[in-house]
Each structure stands twice: as C-alpha cells, then as structure tokens.
Amino acid sequence: MSSPLLGIEGGGQANASMESGFPKNPTFTERNYLGLSDCSSVDSSNVPSPCLNLKATELRLGLPGSQSPDRDPESSLTSSEKLDEKPLFPLLPSIDGICSSSTKTVVSGHKRIFTDAMDSCSEIKGLSDGSWLSAASGSDSDPSKSVIQGKFSTNSNVKGNVSSGDQVAKGVTTNLNKVNASNPPAAKAQVVGWPPVRSFRKNILATSSKNNDEVDKKPCSAALFVKVSMDGAPYLRKVDLRGYSSYQQLSSALEKMFTCFTIGQCGSQGGPGKGNLSESKLRDLLHGSGYVLTYEDKDGDWMLVGDVPWDMFIGSCKRLKIMKGSDAIGLAPGATEKSKNRS
Amino acid sequence: MFPEEVLEHVFSFLNSHTDRNTASLVCKSWYEMERWCRKRVFIGNCYAVNPRVVIRRFPEVKSVELKGKPHFADFNLVPEGWGGYVYPWIVEIARAYPWLEEIRLKRMVVTDECLEIVAKSFRNFRVLVLESCEGFSTDGLAAVAANCRNLRVLDLRECEVEELSGHWLSHFPDSFTSLESLNMACLGSEVSFSALERLVARSPNLKTLRLNRTVPIEKLSTLLQRAPQLVDFGTGAYSAEIRQDVYSRLADAFSRSKNLKSLSGFWDVTPAYLPAIYSVCSQLTSLNLSYAATRSPDLTKIVSQCYNLQRLVVLDYIEDTGLNTVSMSCKDLRELVVFPSDPFVGEVDVLLTEQGLVSVSQGCSKLQSVLYFCHQMSNSALISISKNRPNLTCFRLCIIEPRVPDYVTHEPLDVGFGSIVENCKQLTRLSMSGLLTDRVFEYIGTHAKNLDMLSIAFAGDSDLGLHHVLSGCDSLRKLEIRDCPFGDKALLANASKLEKMRSLWMSSCLVSFGACKLLGQKMPGLNVEVIDERENVNSLPEYVPVEKVYIYRTVSGQRFDTPDFVRIMGKDKDDLFSDKGLKVAVLFCSNFGTFRPCCCTRSRSL
C-alpha cells in the first residue's frame, strides 16, 4: 500500500520493516510519539535519530508565525503567503519544547518522558510556563493565556460570526508576541452552547420569570433560538436572536450561513441604525437579489423582517425563513393586511 | 455441551447487552444460540453499524434502541443537517421485523414518514420512546395514535415537534384501551381536553401521564380522579387566579392519589397552589420542580416533607438553605439535579453556592448522581464531597463562568476534581468546569479507571492533558471536549484507543485538518468527521485547526448522508498519493517514527 512513502525518513531498515510489517503484522504497538517506543523488541531505527533532524520540515507545534527557540528568527513570519513553509501542525510553542527534548533522550515509559518534557517546558517561554497559577477568573492580563483565549473567543463566537481560516491565522499571529491585555476571554459574551443547558429550558425560564411576580425581574438575557429555513436548502439552521443587536448583524450572519445555497443574498449594506432596515432596502432586495428574510410572528403570520423595532421583533419572532422574493410579494413592510404565505 | 434448549433458557436470564455480548464471544455455538434468541438490540451510535448487518445477525428482535447525534448536539454544537436520520433503519426493520414491539430513539431525526411506517408495519407495536428527537410533526403522532392498536407507551422526551394541531390525540380510537404511559410534556399545542379525559378514563393500565403546559390547573383534578392508579404524573401550567374551590378540588384529588410516586411539570407556578401536593410528598420518590420559578421558602416546605425522595430536580432557587433541608429530610436521595434559573446573568442573585452540594453530600448517604450548576466552587468543597460520598457514580459540575478558579485560594480546581476521581472509585460519568490545568487530567488518567464518559470544557494547557485521559482511562467510551488546547499529538499518539471507544468529540480545539486526514487514512475502523462551516474551508492549509471533529468507531465504513459542512476524512484513496498526502505522511513520520495502522481484531460485538 503506502509503505514506501511512510518509511522514507526512518532509514533503510525502517523501510524494510515497514514494508514487511505493514500488511502482515496484525497487532498495533502503542508508541509514544513524542519520543520513543518503550518496546525493546522494536527496531531502534524507528527512533528518529537526531542527525536526521531536518529543521525545515521538522514537525513543531506552534501557532502560525510563531517563533520557537531553535528556529531561525528570519522564519518568523506574519505574511500569510509564507505560512505554507510553516511547520505542519503549528500549535502551542510549549509542545515544541517537549518535541525537541524528547528526541535527545532515550527513555522507557511514557510518564518519565512527559515529566521531563514538562520540566523543560517550564523553562521555555510558552503557554504552559506555570503562569496559570496566577490566573484569576477571567483574567486576560496573562499574556500567554491570552493567545489561547483570544483564539478561543474567536472560535467560540455566537453562530454566524464564524472566523475564516485567514482570520484565525492572522488573529493568532498578531496576538502571539504581544501582551494582549485588550483581548478578554469570552467571559461576558455568550458562548455557543455554554452553559450546557438545553435551549428549551432557557426559553421557558425566560417566559416563566416574566409571568411570575414573585421572582425578581431581571432584563431577560436568556438565549432565544429560532429556526431559520431557506427555500431550496436541504436543512435548516438555528440562530440565537439574543446574540445580535440589530437587523444588520442578523442579516450578515444569516448571509454567511446560507451563502452556499444562494446566488443572490440578503443585502448587508450598512443601514442607518438599529431596526432601520428601510423599506427601500427591502424593496431593493426584492427586486435585486431574489431572496428576502421573513419571520413568523406569535400569531402565526409571516411578516417581512425589518418592519418593527429590533426589540419588538425578537419578542415576537418564532422562526425565520429566507424566501424567494417572488413568494414574498404581499409582505410589504408596514402592511396591515397579513399575508397568507406559508412555507 | 449443553443442548440448545438449555442454552436458550440460560440466556433468557441475560438481560444486559454487555452480558449478552460477552456470552456471544465464548464460542461459535454460543454465538449462534445467542444471536437467535436476542430480543433487544441496543446500538449506541447509529453510524457504527449498518441496519442490514444487525438484521442478519439478530433475526428475532422485538426491541430496537438507537442513538444518533453526539451529546453536544443538546447544546447546539452540532449544526442542523449533520445527520442521525432514522429513516434507513425504519425501512429495514419494518421489512425484517414485522413483530417488532419497541422502538427507542435518542437524538435522531425522525420524520412523519418514519412514524407512518412504524404505525403501519408492526402489528404488535407497543412502545415508542423518542428522546431529544426532531423532524416530525403532530401529523406523525396522529398516525401512530390511529394505527397502533396495542400501543402501551408513547413517550416524547424533550423532542422538538412541529405543532400543526393538538388534534392528534383525538386519533386514538375509542377501542384503544391499552395505554400505560403517555408523556406529551414537550408539546406546545393544546389538545382537546375531552378527548384526553376520555382516553384516560378508558385506560385502566395508565401509570404515567405527563401533560403539557396547555392543560390548565383547573382540569388536573378531573384527570387525577379518572386515574387513581397513576404512579407518575406531570402537571401542565400550574397557575391560576387563586380560587378556593379550584384549590380544594385539587388538594383533594392529590390526597386520593395513593399510588403517586413521581411528580413533574409545574410550569408558571402560582405558589399558593403548591400546598395542594403536600399530601403526596411523603410518597414521592421522584420530584421535578425545574420549571417552578418560585423561591426557596416554597420549595423548602415541599422537600422537607419528601422523606422517601430518591430523585430531585430543581432550580437554583432552592438555594443553600433548601438543600440543607434536603440533606436532613431526604435521606434516601440518590440523584440531585440543580439547574440554573438564569444562566446568563453576570451578577448572582440566588444564594446557591457550593455549600448546598456539600451539605447534601454529607446528609444523603445514598447519593450517587449529581448534576449541579453554580457560580463558585472550591477545592476544599470538592474534597469534602468526595470524602463524604465515595459512592458517587455520576458527578457533573458546571460552574457557569468558564475557567473560574477556586474562589477561596484562586488556584485551579485540579486538586478538587482529583480528589473526586481518587475517592469515588465507581465513578462512571464526570463533567468538569472551572479553571483546570493538565494536572487534573493526570489525576483522571491515574485514578478514573471506571470512567465511561468524560466531558471537558475550557480546560487544560496542552496535549499532555488529552494524552493522560486517553492513555489512562481504561474504561473510557465517550469523550467530549470543547474549547481546550488539545491538538494533534495526543490524538494521533492514542489512535488505537479511539477504536476502543464509542466516540470522541472535539470542538474549538487545536486539531488540524492534516491530523484528521491522517487519522482517517490510517484507521479504517474509524470515521473521522470534520464538521466545519467556514466558507473557505476548502482552501485552508492543512495545519489549520478544524472547527469540530467527531470521531467514532464503525464497521459500516463512511456514511453518505453528510451535508456539505461535514467531511469524512481520509477515506478517499487518492488522498494518500496526492502531494499533500505525501507531505503529511513524510513530515509526520520524520519526527514520530513509523505509524502503523491499528489492525486489531474486529471482535466488536454489536
């Protein structure tokens, strides 16, 4: 099968053992990939020998654009075109430390390797340098933590604000070598799926607390998930309306979500402000892109989105639908006559 | 060598799936005997096996249980359209098992068409349990009601149902009298009360009745009087203007329900009506007040009378004082669930802290299972809990703010959770939260030898953490991780472990496309699904982390019902010989040595 390809760096003997071992040997020996196998019966040539340490292709774990201590400083990059030369799995620089220390020592047993690695790690400037001991809740002043958190807040964004690959790479690169105190973790922002409480439970409590006089009324900030369907799309999505504060945001989020299904799309030009997706804008959509955003309100009627102030909208919206413009004629904003359009 | 009849008789005492699976591995004749007499099949991951394979092996099945989406789908982490369609299964089992009696589905997409097939294909169909399912409407329910003449159980647990009308209930024919259990609590539409009342009246075996929110409190007494044999009752919206006659009737009806052991419902509670249940409190073994948005004094009065309570589900409105009462009054408590009343508010208004849990752990010696949401925790509290209750089997703690440390010492909660896994040797399920470093995973890998399911979020420092878990937890079958700095190394180093598990979920971690592809290529027994909704995902370099990856073992190969944002990695043979595939393989091996695929024997029994 693929054995010749895999045995290349390991030397001739490894090659042979790979070729013979690959189809015939049915058992899998667990290996410590951060160092060496502890099976004495295994070829020692399976151990990557230090002299074959090809720096340029050496697997490191560091973030794109990261500098690890051994690395040529010139290869510290910020431009995306050079990212291709980067190590294959560039993640945490600290793992880098584990990598290089373990190739030097021959040890048996997994735990010792990791302990050694952990010890050497703490000397290397990196993310597991023990600074977590001082990290207070939600602390973002820890520079090493901030990279991860910055990354995670990008990843943990409310659905719809999905980071593209470029964004991730750039964001991480810029974060890396600076003290990034201005990048707080997603502490106060709502993270998708956190805390792990079912959606129906969140919605129910929201309405329950409104009804019950005995419970202190707080501004209701529970998530409000509604389904979004689109004509012609094979499946529907859910969005949390409380994750947005304007029609503008909702519109662009939905556009991102459904672009793969659509040629024309809901426009995302800047509107004059909150809740002001103007009549003319909607008409542009109707005539231009071919798709409009509609919603089913509490009474079961289908209305054009953008009609009412945002807060009123999220209070009455039960679900959303991206319709073809031609189907939505008759749902003009401000129309008193309610349309009978149903999906 | 036993004659077949003896073997069959012996096997009839084996009820657990594990026991049956083990017996089938003893020898060929036991395998043959067992497969012919297995009546109940449980498939924990609907994509792990093909329905035809199941049918071929077990020809005499009466009960099928299937699970679809991963657990994190409950929290909206699995995009719509991912999969979990039950239709292919329904079609096959409708053809193969005309005498099927029971179907239980969890987290699957069930369409009306599926329900119609079920309704019309199985003459002796008795039990339909749909838990956290979606994709069907009340029309599907109507088909079941109209056609399943021998139905005993219709249990819709937390499903998302398209509500076209409440009329479905009226489709149960007048001749239908076999109902034993009806749970419609998740439905929103109003059913005809008279139809409901008549249904209850003609169902002498009705033991479980869980109403939905639309059934008004005034009508409850009528239903309770019709069904004095009820064991499990769920109210509708428990609110009304305070009227003495309504109250008296209700209190009276409850006092006559001598068989009632379980109560739930209680939406929109009007506290003045709560004392109506006092007369049954001492009978109750299970009480779910998690929709009752009422304050601690009301809740405390109730629990203080529940001497026989084994299961309590409640909101954090119960506060530490209420839980203290629980610890003194509910000496038989086995399971405690405390949900947050307002999960997103920054300031904490409710006086529920770690102390409530500590007192319950002290006072309730039989406590085994905990799900607890709170805002603060300390290592010393966790250590106390672990020492008080070494018999814990399920411990799920959710500190609402991510990465919150010990509020007293400001240290991570490693030591606290470490104490849990060290002292609670029978722990099978653990969910963690708060500030946690790699150290906690070292403790888990060392001590949690019986752990079956582990949920991790916003924790750890490096791949070391994941490595500890995968290499140390011998019994681990389900691992779900979100927002942790775990990447390729630990995953690839423990590739063989993944074949011994049901599934691994990792989202917002640092696992790269390249690693996923490699894993998929090298492990034919695994499906490595990358779930990534980014627009430009096809042009991302291979070292970029994926949004989400779901890895599960399977004997049925890759599935073909995936949406465009799901990629099953590494199954395309071309990948291995492409430039990119070559580069991945070479670079990986230069540092890690050779990577042999796992060719362990496929003795996986179903």
Side-chain angles (χ1 to χ4, degrees), chain A residues 184-198:
Chain A
K188 298 302 173 200
Q190 278 184 39
V191 173
V192 173
W194 191 266
V197 172
R198 304 281 308 268

Side-chain angles (χ1 to χ4, degrees), chain B residues 418-436:
Chain B
S419 181
I420 294 275
V421 292
E422 197 177 347
N423 289 319
C424 305
K425 302 202 189 330
Q426 299 310 311
L427 199 69
T428 51
R429 186 164 179 189
L430 178 65
S431 300
M432 306 189 295
S433 52
L435 184 65
L436 297 164

Side-chain angles (χ1 to χ4, degrees), chain B residues 194-403:
Chain B
S194 61
L196 176 62
E197 190 186 345
R198 278 180 283 118
L199 176 64
V200 170
R202 68 176 183 273
S203 304
N205 296 318
L206 191 68
K207 298 280 190 306
T208 299
L209 178 63
R210 295 196 180 183
L211 305 170
N212 71 354
R213 208 166 175 172
T214 63
V215 179
I217 194 173
E218 296 89 348
K219 300 278 192 355
L220 294 183
S221 46
T222 314
L223 292 173
L224 284 171
Q225 279 153 14
R226 291 279 186 197
Q229 75 283 5
L230 270 183
V231 173
D232 183 329
F233 184 60
T235 74
Y238 203 74
S239 61
E241 284 175 11
I242 300 167
R243 282 174 47 191
Q244 189 55 42
D245 56 335
V246 172
Y247 178 86
S248 309
R249 263 207 309 274
L250 186 58
D252 190 54
F254 272 119
S255 67
R256 290 173 200 278
S257 302
K258 298 293 183 201
N259 295 297
L260 216 50
K261 290 211 161 55
S262 169
L263 274 183
S264 57
F266 299 107
W267 286 279
D268 312 319
V269 150
T270 301
Y273 278 101
L274 283 174
I277 70 168
Y278 285 174
S279 58
V280 294
C281 283
S282 59
Q283 294 164 206
L284 294 179
T285 55
S286 171
L287 179 60
N288 187 334
L289 291 167
S290 61
Y291 296 106
T294 184
R295 285 299 191 166
S296 182
D298 299 312
L299 298 173
T300 306
K301 272 211 205 80
I302 295 172
V303 298
S304 65
Q305 301 176 63
C306 296
Y307 311 121
N308 290 304
L309 203 61
Q310 294 178 14
R311 181 172 190 261
L312 176 64
V313 185
V314 76
L315 289 173
D316 57 6
Y317 288 135
I318 195 166
E319 299 187 348
D320 287 347
T321 50
L323 288 179
N324 196 35
T325 305
V326 169
S327 76
M328 293 190 299
S329 309
C330 310
K331 291 302 189 185
D332 210 20
L333 196 71
R334 320 279 166 102
E335 183 179 352
L336 175 68
V337 176
V338 179
F339 283 120
S341 50
D342 216 339
F344 299 106
V345 173
E347 297 88 51
V348 179
D349 181 47
V350 168
L351 293 170
L352 180 102
T353 68
E354 82 285 2
Q355 206 39 55
L357 183 57
V358 172
S359 39
V360 174
S361 75
Q362 269 163 356
C364 301
S365 64
K366 297 197 190 155
L367 187 69
Q368 287 178 314
S369 173
V370 171
L371 170 56
Y372 200 77
F373 285 80
C374 59
H375 291 271
Q376 66 183 40
M377 186 50 62
S378 66
N379 282 311
S380 66
L382 286 170
I383 292 168
S384 298
I385 292 165
S386 72
K387 292 199 166 138
N388 291 336
R389 290 281 61 79
N391 51 329
L392 283 175
T393 54
C394 169
F395 188 73
R396 295 155 71 189
L397 179 70
C398 179
I399 305 166
I400 290 179
E401 184 85 9
R403 300 196 188 93

Side-chain angles (χ1 to χ4, degrees), chain B residues 168-195:
Chain B
W168 65 271
L169 189 86
S170 313
H171 283 254
F172 283 114
D174 291 338
S175 55
F176 172 69
T177 59
S178 52
L179 196 63
E180 293 176 14
S181 171
L182 176 63
N183 177 3
M184 40 181 260
C186 64
L187 297 181
S189 48
E190 193 176 338
V191 298
S192 148
F193 186 76
S194 61

Side-chain angles (χ1 to χ4, degrees), chain A residues 74-102:
Chain A
E74 280 164 358
S75 65
S76 150
L77 304 162
T78 50
S79 66
S80 49
E81 62 197 54
K82 286 196 179 176
L83 283 172
D84 282 340
E85 295 170 31
K86 280 281 117 190
L88 201 58
F89 305 141
L91 295 162
L92 311 170
S94 60
I95 309 292
D96 196 15
I98 294 176
C99 199
S100 38
S101 70
S102 60

